[in-house]
Amino acid sequence: MNNFVYDIPVKVYFGENQLGNLAPEILKFGKRVLLTYGGGSIKRSGLYDRVMAELKAADCTVFELSGIEPNPRITSVRKGVEMCKEHNIDVLLAVGGGSTIDATKFMAAGACVEHDAWEFFGANAKPIERALPIVTILTLSATGSEMDAGGVITNLETQDKLGRMAAPMLPKVSFLDPTLTYTVSPYQTACGAADMMSHILEVYFNLNDDLFMLDSMMEAMLKTIVKYAPIAIAEPENYEARANLMWCSSWAINGFINGGRRKAWSCHPMEHELSAIYDIAHGHGLAILTPRWMEYCLEESNAYRYVSLGVNVFGIDPKGEPMAIAKECIERMREFMSVTLNLPDSFTKVGIKREDFAVMARKACRYGAIRGFKTLEPEDVERIFEMCI
Ligand code: NZQ
Ligand code: ZN
């Protein structure tokens, strides 16, 4: 087992009726609040009014930045940075899904520097040494942004979608109330499930460290998603389903399951290029890519990993040839994504065209080959894209 550092200092309020704790947590950082949210789901659900009532009762001065897009744009981040500087903001409160939370993280970091926020990204990225404090209220179980230090931002001018992690951007406090996800559509629920599943698989398919305990926990989390995502889709107000998915979302990516594993992620860099050009939902892109990537990487020598997944998560009979079980596991994964989650399962169905494969593959490898479960050069990425058509 490799050495590692475990450090996840995000305070979580989990469950219903926790918003009474919002104002006391906000007031630890100050009274001047930048409230950020997306296209209006929080107004339709009534959450906006509840949040405002809490903040007003605590005598906070609230500034608002709404309209943060799915696949959030650098232009929204820039607006937020300006507002933080102009209004001398003490704390940012992000209410929404991963897009709102991600954008808010870079507003908080951008407020502490003079340069443009886009300079936090790319090969010569500027350091992120400070950020204003961030509090989140999560409304969609998917990305884990509520409990991690990362974020992904799109620049439409350059057609880039780039990620960045930095400890100062970790939320100080996150409110995880499963009932706030009751209004999430079946499609976004499915995309969220595929995303958190991928976060786990990116680590699980990684053979450079022997961590039976974490492998078993990952399998338990995957089983949780396989069990509860269809229930949440069929019964949007099923508390147990929403609660299990919500806690999975956070733990899939908060660093705990990594242990000492350091191999690169594979499906994520490929998917970000799809979203960068076609603006598709991140989880949907992953749902299409994941089974094909698994198929592309399968070899006799690594089949045992697929066998564990197939047997322990999908309940495949362990008797039989490892390669046969591995192939069945890939098929079960494909079926889960496309049939159970009902996510259309090819590039053609979501409008992604072959003519962009070369450029997307090159950009997916912008920092060199993807050194993940199997090393992927741009040609490999193109072949995987080809399998998705
Ligand atoms: O904008 P509003 O009106 O709020 O509507 C959103 C949006 O249209 C809606 N929604 C959110 N909560 C809702 C709701 N609708 C009804 N009821 C609710 N309670 O759902 C739509 C999608 O929201 P979005 O925030 O875009 O989804 P998600 O949470 O999946 O975030 C995706 C973004 O996060 C990035 C992705 O790349 C993508 O840009 N990621 C961030 C990561 C991180 N921070 O660590 C890791 C991930 O791998 C991922 O890359
Ligand atoms: Zn993801």
Side-chain angles (χ1 to χ4, degrees), residues 142-143 194-196 198-199 253 265 268 272 282-283 286:
T143 66
D195 188 21
M196 54 181 106
S198 173
H199 297 159
I253 200 175
W265 285 19
H268 274 68
H272 287 159
H282 171 65
L286 291 169

Side-chain angles (χ1 to χ4, degrees), residues 20 39 62 73 83 102 149 166 178 184 201 216 218 256 259 266 277 343 369 373:
V62 183
R73 321 290 195 236
M83 289 180 78
D102 282 9
V184 176
L201 294 172
S216 306
M218 282 186 263
F256 174 71
S266 304
I277 295 187
L343 293 170
F373 182 50

